[in-house]
Every structure is written in C-alpha cells, then in structure tokens.
C-alpha cells in the first residue's frame, strides 16, 4: 500500500516527507527537482510508483476499473427509500414512559416544536464527513405527510436554533478604550497574545467573513456580511490572535444567547463569567451559551480568540439574541393545546471540534423544560452525534436519539408513528454528569497544551463505568422497543478455547420487532482486564410470539489479551464469565467456564 498525509498542507517539506517514506508528496515537480539535483536518489520515485500501483492490481482495480461516475444520480427513489430505512433503523428509543410512543389513533393534535424540526435540522456532522444534500427532507415534512388528515400538526419554532446568531449591534457596546460604539480590538501576529500588538482599533462588530493571517499588511480583518458556519478552503494561514473588550448595556431583562462562529479557539466572557467556548475547531462551526442580564445594567464583555488550531475556517463572527419571550410562548401555547408535543433538538459537532459541555447548545434545554411543563406527554428527538446531558429527563415522557440521519431526516416520522419499531442500541455510554467516565480530569482532556494523559488504560468507554461502579444516564448497548423480549434456555457449549453461547429469545409483545442480543465476556481477575467486554452481538427480527435461538461464538481472539511482558496476545488461565443481555447493564443470563494452563 501507499502512505499519504491527511492533507497535503500538513507536509512542511517534500524532501523530509519523501525520505520518511511518504508516497503522496505535495509537489511532484519539487520531488523531480530534488532527484535531478541528486538530493534524493532516483529510487525514491521508483518506490513511490511501486507502492502506489500495487494496490490497483491487488484489488483488481486495474483489470476492472470502477464504472461509477461522479455525476451519477444517487437520489433516485430507491436511494431515498434506502436512506430512510437506514436512518430509521439507527434511531434509539431511550425512554418511553406510559407508552406515549408510538403515536396512536387517540392523538388528534400534535405539536412539533424546535428549529431543528425544520429546514435547519442538524442532519450531518461538520468536516470531511459533510454531505452535500440534494434535497433535505426535514422531520416536520415527514410528520405532516404521515399524519395526513387524521392528525392536526401545529408547528412552533420556539428557538432560533444552533446556527450563527445576528451580530451584536454596535450601539449597545462601548469600547474599553477609544471612542464611539463597538469593541476595542487588539491584534497580534502570533497565536498567544504575546509581544507588541500589531494593530489596535475599535471594531463596530466581530463579523469577519474572511480574516487574514498574522501579516495584516496594515489592516486587521475587515467586517462584512458573515457567511455562517461553513465556507473557506485551501491551506490554513499562519496563526494570529486578538482580544476584544467592551461594556455591553442590555436593552431588556432576561436570558441572552451568544454565539461564536468560526474555526480556532475562542472564549467569550460576559459579566466576568464564561459564556461561550469554541475549543480547537479545525473546521468552521458554531458554539453557543446563555446568560441572564438586567436591562440598563452595563456589564463587561471580553472575547479572546486564537486561530492556532484553525485549518479551513474563514468566518469569524460573534452574535447574540436578546430575550424573545414570544418565541417560547408560541411553543408553550402549541404544547398546551396538543395531545402530544414533540421537541426536536440538535448539536453541531464533527471532525476537528472538541466538545466542552454535555448540555445541549443555546436555549434548547430551557425550551424542552418549558414544553414538558406545559404538556407531560412530551417527546424529545435528539439530532446529536454523542452523549448530551438531559436535565429535563424526569419531566418528559419519551426520548429518541436519532443521531445525524442525513438528508432523509423525515424518516423519523415512521418511528414516531410506529411504522418502524425502533431497534437501535447505544454505541456509547451517556454519562449522568460531566464528572462520570474516563478523561474527566483536565490533564487528560483537553490536556495541558503539550501532553494528554491517557490514564484510563484499558478502561475505555463503558468499561470504565463498570470498573468504577458508576451509574450512567443510559448504558452502552441500551435501546428500547415498542415490544418486549424474553431470554431463556441459556447454555454454554464447547470446550477449551472454542465455545458457543446459546440463548432463546422470544417476542412477548404484540408488535413485530428486532432485538440486539449482546454477549459480554468477563476475564479472570488476575488478567487486569475490564469487568465486562462486548465480544459478540446479533440482531434478531421476531414476529409477535415468535422465538429464535441465537448462537454467539467465543474463540481464541475473543479470549486473548495483550501481554506487555510477552509482547503478544495470550489466553490467561482461570474462570471466564459469559453474559448475554439487552445492554451492558441489562444482563438476562450468564454462565462460566474455565481455561486451564
């Protein structure tokens, strides 16, 4: 195979890269020049060609080239239907009190709430996995189509969502130094606010569509119409930093939202309190925070920014939203008049963007709280890529983790109305608070700036929660269904290092559904392994009353652990425990066997 960098601009030197064995160098012309000048042997190019061509033959690409085309239509009806099936199959039903879901014939009025339910639904992550959607099918569209004339669907936005907010107007800001309206901006030609400032001036707003690098050429970033959370391209420019300070006078009393959009690292302080943190964002994204302010009472505001970690972000924007009681009141009113309320909430995450808080961004938690208070039959649908806090969990009836569903986000309607029985399981643990789980110490994450300490060892993910006896919000492997399943007749078969776990699973409910049978292995105590490790699983579709026998194999690879002293994989003698269940904490049966020396 061949070796190439994640991005060509990561190569500082073609010479050093070629000598180190990199095959995809950033400039073939420079490579040729180095060979012609005898700084690199001609065999360097021979090896690059060899390493590059061999996979084409080994994989059969040379003899049978791909027949696809970049302009192929991948949004045919068949593609769209498959996308819907995949999105719906991945949804995880986390909670369902009182069987509020699925939405049945008794529901005559349905309130759909949240900016995330409409065209702004967070359906994909940022960075390299970004998908260019041909036509987005938002959740609200799917719900209205599925409800038809039988159910009245009322939509209330309730929030401006998680995107960039409008720039803070200059007339509410007084610079810490200088005259006029706006913020005092101090710019540096380095990433750490060191040395003499390159430029000091008053900025009416922090709203820069295309900030330059540190060689400002006599001018700092120029304000203009912000372009949102995406855009830009090409290689990153050299790092720079800035600090803006001002006094902000709130025009009204209430909860204010602030947003920071761009790439890099930024910290916003309002009234000397941290409100928004943009943490090491390689790609452009938006972070939000909230704070309560009093009308006419001036407060200091400071924004510190460094472009050190920014790769492709071009926009830099500081935005806000003053209190808007009408938005929330509309959502509460819709919820009160509905039989069931469904709130959609999302979070923008992706490649090169560290998560700093478990809470949903912006005012979404407050929105869910208010809707749940107005209607106890509140369903929350989450469009997130990772665990989030749920301070409202005890006050809502149901929670569905829909992840990032892609362009066919309308597929959630099938889950809500019961056309699809949810069968997804959590591939991660949802912690009960930000102190649970591994890597919660600052030296571990985000690190001291030079070293990150992986102190969890082998206790990664759910293994840590098991070893430390921590009760998470939702455990690894968790996922409910609209039906129920019974496990019976568990047995271990085989001998030595070849074993099979056998269990009979029965659908004991009235709906067809699928259960994911999970097998966990516990090692001998002296092996110093986690208490339980997932070693196999199988998804079993079952009709009402139907039973199937599931067999999951256990072999040498499942039993072996890495022995550092022996520098290899080995099977330790002792007693092993095999557990099967519906999640890592919902174990239905277990047994043991021994491996002798």
């Amino acid at each position: 195979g061949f070796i190439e960098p994640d991005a060509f601009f990561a190569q500082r030197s073609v010479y050093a890269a070629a000598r180190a064995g990199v095959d995809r160098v950033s400039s073939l012309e420079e490579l040729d020049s180095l060979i012609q000048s005898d700084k690199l042997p001609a065999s360097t190019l021979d090896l690059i060609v060899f390493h590059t061509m061999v996979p084409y033959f080994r994989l059969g690409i040379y003899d049978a080239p791909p027949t696809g085309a970049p302009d192929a239509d991948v949004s045919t009806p068949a593609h769209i239907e498959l996308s819907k099936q995949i999105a719906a199959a991945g949804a995880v039903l986390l909670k369902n009190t009182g069987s509020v879901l699925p939405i049945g014939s008794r529901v005559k009025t349905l309130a759909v709430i949240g900016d995330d339910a409409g065209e702004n639904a967070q359906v994909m992550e940022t960075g390299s996995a970004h998908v260019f959607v041909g036509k987005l099918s938002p959740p609200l569209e799917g719900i209205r189509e599925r409800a038809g004339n039988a159910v009245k669907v009322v939509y209330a936005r309730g929030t401006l969502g998680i995107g960039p907010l409008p720039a803070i107007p200059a007339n509410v800001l007084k610079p810490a130094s200088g005259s006029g309206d706006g913020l005092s901006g101090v710019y540096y030609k380095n990433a750490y606010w060191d040395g003499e400032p390159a430029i000091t001036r008053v900025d009416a707003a922090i709203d820069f569509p295309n900030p330059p690098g540190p060689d400002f050429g006599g001018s700092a970033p120029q304000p203009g119409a912000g372009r949102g959370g995406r855009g830009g391209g090409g290689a990153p420019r050299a790092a720079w930093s800035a600090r803006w300070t001002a006094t902000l006078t709130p025009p009204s009393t209430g909860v204010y939202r602030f947003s920071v959009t761009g790439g890099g690292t930024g910290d916003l302080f309002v009234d000397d309190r941290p409100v928004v943190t943009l943490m090491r964002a390689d790609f452009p994204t938006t972070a939000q925070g909230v704070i309560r302010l009093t009308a006419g009472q001036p407060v200091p505001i400071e924004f510190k920014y460094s472009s050190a970690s920014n790769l492709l972000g071009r926009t830099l924007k500081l935005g806000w939203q003053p209190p808007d009681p009408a938005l929330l009141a509309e959502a509460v009113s819709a919820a009160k008049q509905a039989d069931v309320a469904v709130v959609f909430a999302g979070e923008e995450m992706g490649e090169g963007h560290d998560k700093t808080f478990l809470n949903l961004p912006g005012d979404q938690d407050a929105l869910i709280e208010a809707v749940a208070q107005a209607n106890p039959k509140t369903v929350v649908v989450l469009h997130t890529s990772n665990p989030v806090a749920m301070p409202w969990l005890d006050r809502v009836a149901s929670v569905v983790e829909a992840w990032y569903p892609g362009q066919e986000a309308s597929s959630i309607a099938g889950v809500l109305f019961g056309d699809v029985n949810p069968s997804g399981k959590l591939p991660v643990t949802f912690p009960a608070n930000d102190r649970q789980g591994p890597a919660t110490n600052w030296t571990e994450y985000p690190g001291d700036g030079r070293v990150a300490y992986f102190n969890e060892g082998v206790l990664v993910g759910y293994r840590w929660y098991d070893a430390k006896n921590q009760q998470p919000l939702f455990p690894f492997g968790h996922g409910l269904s609209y039906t129920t399943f019974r496990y019976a007749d568990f047995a271990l078969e085989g001998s030595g290092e070849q074993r099979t776990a056998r269990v009979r699973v029965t659908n004991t409910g009235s709906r067809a559904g699928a259960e994911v049978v999970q097998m966990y292995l516990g090692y001998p105590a002296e092996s110093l392994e986690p208490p339980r490790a997932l070693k196999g699983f199988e998804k079993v579709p079952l009709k009402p009353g139907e039973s199937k026998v599931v067999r999951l194999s256990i072999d040498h690879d499942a039993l072996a652990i890495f022995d550092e002293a022996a520098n290899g994989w080995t099977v330790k003698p002792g007693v092993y425990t095999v557990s099967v269940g519906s999640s890592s904490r919902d174990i239905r049966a277990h047994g043991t066997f021994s491996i002798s020396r």
Side-chain angles (χ1 to χ4, degrees):
F2 54 83
I3 298 172
E4 66 175 320
D6 177 59
F8 281 138
F9 57 69
Q11 289 188 25
R12 301 294 186 267
S13 164
V14 170
Y15 174 78
R19 289 201 62 185
V22 174
D23 299 304
R24 298 295 179 91
V25 293
S26 57
S27 172
L28 288 175
E29 291 77 10
E30 188 174 344
L31 177 66
D32 180 63
S33 176
L34 290 168
I35 292 174
Q36 295 300 327
S37 61
D38 293 328
K39 293 181 180 179
L40 285 174
S43 59
T44 302
L45 182 58
D46 295 337
L47 280 173
I48 287 176
V49 173
F50 177 79
H51 292 155
T52 301
M53 293 303 297
V54 164
Y56 284 87
F57 289 95
R58 190 181 72 244
L59 299 174
I61 296 173
Y62 182 86
D63 298 310
T67 57
D71 58 352
D73 181 7
V74 293
S75 291
T76 65
H79 284 94
I80 291 173
E81 181 59 31
L82 179 60
S83 298
K84 288 182 178 180
Q85 292 175 12
I86 293 172
V92 182
L93 181 61
L94 298 178
K95 178 183 179 180
N96 194 25
T97 304
S99 298
V100 170
L101 291 180
I103 297 169
S105 58
R106 294 184 178 181
V107 175
K108 300 303 179 183
T109 304
L110 181 66
V112 179
I113 297 167
D115 181 69
D116 188 66
E119 294 292 339
N120 294 324
Q122 187 64 39
V123 300
M124 69 190 75
E125 67 175 40
T126 59
S128 299
H130 173 76
V131 177
F132 295 93
V133 173
K135 177 189 177 299
L136 174 65
S137 297
L140 179 61
E141 177 183 292
I143 291 172
R144 281 178 169 160
E145 182 179 343
R146 175 59 180 81
N149 296 325
V151 181
K152 180 182 178 182
V153 178
V154 178
Y155 174 62
R157 193 177 181 189
T159 171
L160 292 185
I162 61 175
L165 297 171
I168 304 174
N171 61 6
V172 301
L173 296 167
K174 291 297 179 184
S177 60
S179 59
D181 296 334
L183 306 98
S184 301
V186 182
Y187 297 79
Y188 300 85
K189 294 185 178 182
N190 57 71
Y192 308 107
W193 310 278
D194 287 341
E196 290 294 320
I199 297 172
T200 299
R201 73 176 191 191
V202 173
D203 287 317
I206 303 173
D207 188 8
F208 310 128
N210 198 25
D215 187 8
F216 297 122
S219 64
Q222 297 303 308
R227 295 183 305 201
R230 295 188 176 92
R237 288 172 270 189
W240 61 280
S241 60
R243 179 186 288 109
W244 290 271
T245 53
T247 298
L248 183 151
T249 302
S252 58
T253 298
V255 175
Y256 285 72
R257 275 206 299 159
F258 291 87
S259 69
V260 174
T261 299
T265 295
D267 289 291
L268 174 68
F269 299 87
V270 180
D271 198 16
D272 297 322
R273 286 177 283 176
V275 176
V276 182
T277 296
L278 184 71
M279 174 67 79
R280 299 177 182 174
D282 295 347
F283 300 93
T285 189
T286 296
Q288 292 193 1
V290 297
I291 185 173
R292 185 173 182 83
L293 301 175
T294 303
Q297 183 174 314
V299 294
I301 181 172
E302 178 186 16
F303 179 52
K304 292 180 62 178
Y305 172 78
S306 171
S307 72
S309 60
N310 183 20
L311 291 180
L312 300 179
R314 290 293 179 260
T315 298
L316 180 62
K317 181 177 183 179
L318 174 63
W320 81 335
Q321 179 196 6
D324 188 353
L327 264 178
L328 185 60
E330 181 187 14
V332 169
S333 176
K336 285 181 177 179
Q337 299 174 46
D339 297 316
V340 173
V342 183
V343 184
F344 285 81
E347 178 180 46
E348 182 185 51
M349 294 296 295
E351 178 187 8
H353 179 200
D354 287 347
K355 183 182 175 83
T356 53
F357 304 103
L358 281 175
N359 287 76
L360 287 167
D363 57 353
Q364 295 179 112
D365 282 330
L367 173 63
I368 296 171
E369 293 271 11
V371 171
Q373 186 174 0
N375 190 330
K377 292 185 177 181
T378 292
V379 177
V380 177
V381 178
L382 297 171
H383 286 153
T384 71
S385 62
N386 52 71
V388 295
M390 302 183 195
W392 32 260
L393 182 61
D394 292 340
R395 291 175 288 284
V396 302
S398 305
V399 182
V400 179
E401 175 57 80
W403 311 108
Y404 291 159
Q407 73 178 47
E408 298 303 320
S410 61
S411 59
I412 193 64
V415 175
L416 297 177
F417 282 88
D419 304 327
V420 176
N421 193 341
S423 58
K425 299 285 186 175
L426 287 183
V428 294
T429 303
F430 277 47
N433 54 62
D434 57 9
R435 298 178 300 279
Q436 276 193 345
T440 54
N441 186 289
W442 70 269
T443 60
E444 299 164 330
Y445 172 82
D448 61 11
R450 297 186 178 185
V451 180
Y453 296 90
F454 292 83
N455 296 328
E456 69 269 26
V458 297
L459 301 180
V460 178
Y462 67 91
R463 303 165 184 85
W464 176 279
Y465 293 82
D466 291 344
K468 304 299 182 180
N469 293 316
Q470 294 181 345
Q471 185 61 41
L473 192 65
F474 294 108
F476 174 86
H478 172 74
L480 304 177
S481 171
Y482 295 151
T483 188
T484 54
F485 301 96
R486 182 179 67 238
Y487 289 59
D489 304 331
F490 174 78
L492 287 173
E493 302 170 340
S495 61
E497 296 182 5
Q498 298 295 324
R499 308 269 177 160
T500 299
R502 186 196 70 201
V503 66
R504 179 180 296 276
V505 182
T506 303
N507 182 344
T508 54
S510 59
R511 288 176 174 266
E515 169 69 328
V516 180
V517 179
Q518 303 162 44
M519 179 182 70
Y520 296 85
L521 185 66
Y523 296 84
E526 58 271 18
S527 68
L528 302 179
E529 287 295 297
R532 190 179 293 133
L534 180 70
K535 292 298 177 180
F537 60 90
E538 184 173 330
K539 192 169 190 175
V540 188
L542 294 168
K543 299 175 184 177
E546 184 182 10
S547 295
K548 287 184 181 178
V549 174
V550 178
R551 290 181 170 84
L552 298 169
S553 62
I554 307 165
D555 56 17
H556 174 86
D557 288 344
L559 299 172
I561 65 172
F562 192 81
D563 189 324
E564 293 187 26
N567 194 32
W569 295 89
T570 183
V571 175
K572 297 289 185 181
V575 177
Y576 290 78
T577 301
V578 179
S579 305
V580 294
S582 190
S583 81
S584 61
R585 293 293 178 93
D586 184 4
I587 301 301
R588 306 293 181 89
H590 66 271
T592 61
F593 66 89
S594 298
I595 296 290
S596 58
R597 294 184 182 275

Coordinates of all heavy atoms in Angstrom, one line a residue, residues 3-5 8 10-27 30-31 34 40 44 48:
I3 N 1.5 5.4 1.4 CA 1.3 6.3 2.6 C 1.1 7.7 2.1 O 1.9 8.2 1.3 CB 2.6 6.2 3.5 CG1 2.8 4.8 4.0 CG2 2.5 7.2 4.6 CD1 4.1 4.6 4.7
E4 N 0.1 8.3 2.6 CA -0.2 9.7 2.2 C -0.7 10.5 3.5 O -1.2 9.9 4.4 CB -1.2 9.8 1.1 CG -2.6 9.3 1.5 CD -3.6 9.6 0.4 OE1 -3.5 10.6 -0.3 OE2 -4.5 8.7 0.2
P5 N -0.5 11.8 3.5 CA -0.9 12.6 4.6 C -2.4 12.8 4.6 O -3.0 12.6 3.6 CB -0.1 13.9 4.4 CG 0.0 14.0 3.0 CD 0.2 12.6 2.5
F8 N -2.4 17.6 2.2 CA -1.1 18.0 1.6 C -0.4 19.1 2.4 O 0.8 19.2 2.5 CB -1.2 18.3 0.1 CG -1.2 17.0 -0.7 CD1 -2.1 17.0 -1.8 CD2 -0.4 15.9 -0.5 CE1 -2.2 15.8 -2.6 CE2 -0.5 14.8 -1.3 CZ -1.4 14.7 -2.3
A10 N -0.3 19.6 5.3 CA 0.4 19.1 6.5 C 1.9 18.8 6.3 O 2.7 18.7 7.2 CB -0.3 17.8 7.0
Q11 N 2.3 18.7 5.0 CA 3.7 18.5 4.7 C 4.5 19.8 4.7 O 4.2 20.7 4.0 CB 3.8 17.9 3.3 CG 3.4 16.5 3.2 CD 3.7 15.9 1.8 OE1 4.6 16.3 1.1 NE2 2.9 14.9 1.4
R12 N 5.4 19.8 5.6 CA 6.3 21.0 5.7 C 7.4 21.0 4.7 O 8.0 22.0 4.3 CB 6.9 21.1 7.2 CG 5.8 21.2 8.3 CD 5.0 22.5 8.2 NE 4.1 22.6 9.3 CZ 2.9 22.2 9.3 NH1 2.3 21.7 8.2 NH2 2.1 22.4 10.4
S13 N 7.8 19.8 4.3 CA 9.0 19.6 3.4 C 8.8 18.4 2.6 O 8.6 17.3 3.1 CB 10.2 19.5 4.2 OG 11.3 19.0 3.5
V14 N 8.8 18.5 1.2 CA 8.8 17.4 0.3 C 10.0 16.5 0.5 O 9.9 15.3 0.5 CB 8.7 17.9 -1.1 CG1 8.8 16.7 -2.1 CG2 7.4 18.6 -1.4
Y15 N 11.1 17.1 0.8 CA 12.4 16.3 1.0 C 12.2 15.4 2.2 O 12.5 14.2 2.1 CB 13.5 17.3 1.1 CG 14.8 16.7 1.5 CD1 15.6 16.0 0.6 CD2 15.3 16.7 2.9 CE1 16.8 15.4 1.0 CE2 16.5 16.1 3.2 CZ 17.2 15.5 2.3 OH 18.4 14.8 2.6
A16 N 11.8 16.0 3.3 CA 11.7 15.3 4.6 C 10.6 14.2 4.4 O 10.8 13.0 4.9 CB 11.4 16.2 5.7
A17 N 9.5 14.5 3.8 CA 8.4 13.6 3.6 C 8.8 12.4 2.8 O 8.6 11.2 3.1 CB 7.2 14.3 3.0
A18 N 9.5 12.6 1.6 CA 10.0 11.6 0.8 C 11.0 10.7 1.5 O 10.9 9.4 1.3 CB 10.5 12.1 -0.5
R19 N 11.9 11.3 2.2 CA 12.9 10.5 2.9 C 12.2 9.6 4.0 O 12.7 8.5 4.3 CB 13.9 11.4 3.6 CG 14.9 12.0 2.6 CD 16.2 12.5 3.3 NE 16.9 11.3 3.8 CZ 18.0 11.4 4.6 NH1 18.5 12.6 4.8 NH2 18.6 10.4 5.1
A20 N 11.1 10.1 4.6 CA 10.4 9.4 5.6 C 9.5 8.2 5.1 O 9.0 7.5 5.9 CB 9.6 10.3 6.5
G21 N 9.4 8.2 3.8 CA 8.6 7.1 3.2 C 7.2 7.5 2.8 O 6.4 6.6 2.4
V22 N 6.9 8.8 2.7 CA 5.6 9.3 2.3 C 5.5 9.1 0.7 O 6.4 9.6 0.0 CB 5.3 10.7 2.7 CG1 4.0 11.2 2.1 CG2 5.3 10.8 4.2
D23 N 4.5 8.5 0.2 CA 4.4 8.3 -1.2 C 3.6 9.4 -1.9 O 3.9 9.7 -3.1 CB 3.7 6.9 -1.5 CG 4.4 5.8 -0.9 OD1 5.6 5.6 -1.2 OD2 3.9 5.0 -0.1
R24 N 2.6 10.0 -1.3 CA 1.9 11.1 -1.9 C 2.5 12.4 -1.4 O 2.0 13.0 -0.5 CB 0.4 11.0 -1.5 CG -0.2 9.7 -2.0 CD -0.3 9.6 -3.5 NE -0.9 8.4 -4.0 CZ -2.2 8.2 -4.2 NH1 -3.0 9.2 -4.0 NH2 -2.7 7.0 -4.7
V25 N 3.5 12.9 -2.1 CA 4.1 14.1 -1.7 C 3.3 15.3 -2.3 O 2.6 15.1 -3.3 CB 5.6 14.2 -2.2 CG1 6.4 13.2 -1.4 CG2 5.7 14.0 -3.7
S26 N 3.4 16.5 -1.8 CA 2.6 17.6 -2.1 C 3.0 18.2 -3.5 O 2.2 18.9 -4.1 CB 2.6 18.7 -1.1 OG 3.9 19.1 -0.8
S27 N 4.2 17.9 -4.0 CA 4.6 18.5 -5.2 C 5.6 17.6 -6.0 O 6.7 17.3 -5.5 CB 5.4 19.9 -5.0 OG 5.9 20.3 -6.2
E30 N 8.6 19.5 -7.3 CA 9.7 19.6 -6.3 C 10.5 18.3 -6.1 O 11.7 18.3 -6.0 CB 9.1 20.2 -5.0 CG 10.2 20.5 -4.0 CD 9.7 21.2 -2.8 OE1 8.5 21.6 -2.8 OE2 10.4 21.2 -1.8
L31 N 9.7 17.2 -6.1 CA 10.4 15.9 -6.0 C 11.3 15.7 -7.1 O 12.5 15.2 -6.9 CB 9.3 14.8 -5.9 CG 9.8 13.4 -5.8 CD1 10.6 13.1 -4.5 CD2 8.7 12.4 -6.0
L34 N 14.5 17.7 -6.7 CA 15.4 17.1 -5.7 C 16.1 15.9 -6.3 O 17.3 15.7 -5.9 CB 14.5 16.7 -4.5 CG 14.0 17.8 -3.6 CD1 12.9 17.3 -2.6 CD2 15.1 18.5 -2.9
L40 N 18.0 13.6 -3.7 CA 17.3 12.3 -3.4 C 17.6 11.3 -4.5 O 17.8 11.7 -5.7 CB 15.7 12.5 -3.4 CG 15.1 13.2 -2.2 CD1 13.6 13.5 -2.4 CD2 15.3 12.4 -0.9
T44 N 13.9 6.7 -5.1 CA 12.7 7.3 -4.3 C 11.5 7.3 -5.1 O 10.4 6.9 -4.7 CB 13.1 8.7 -3.8 OG1 14.3 8.7 -3.1 CG2 11.9 9.3 -3.0
I48 N 7.9 5.1 -4.9 CA 6.6 5.7 -4.8 C 5.6 5.2 -5.9 O 4.5 4.9 -5.6 CB 6.8 7.3 -5.0 CG1 7.4 7.9 -3.8 CG2 5.4 7.9 -5.4 CD1 7.7 9.4 -3.9

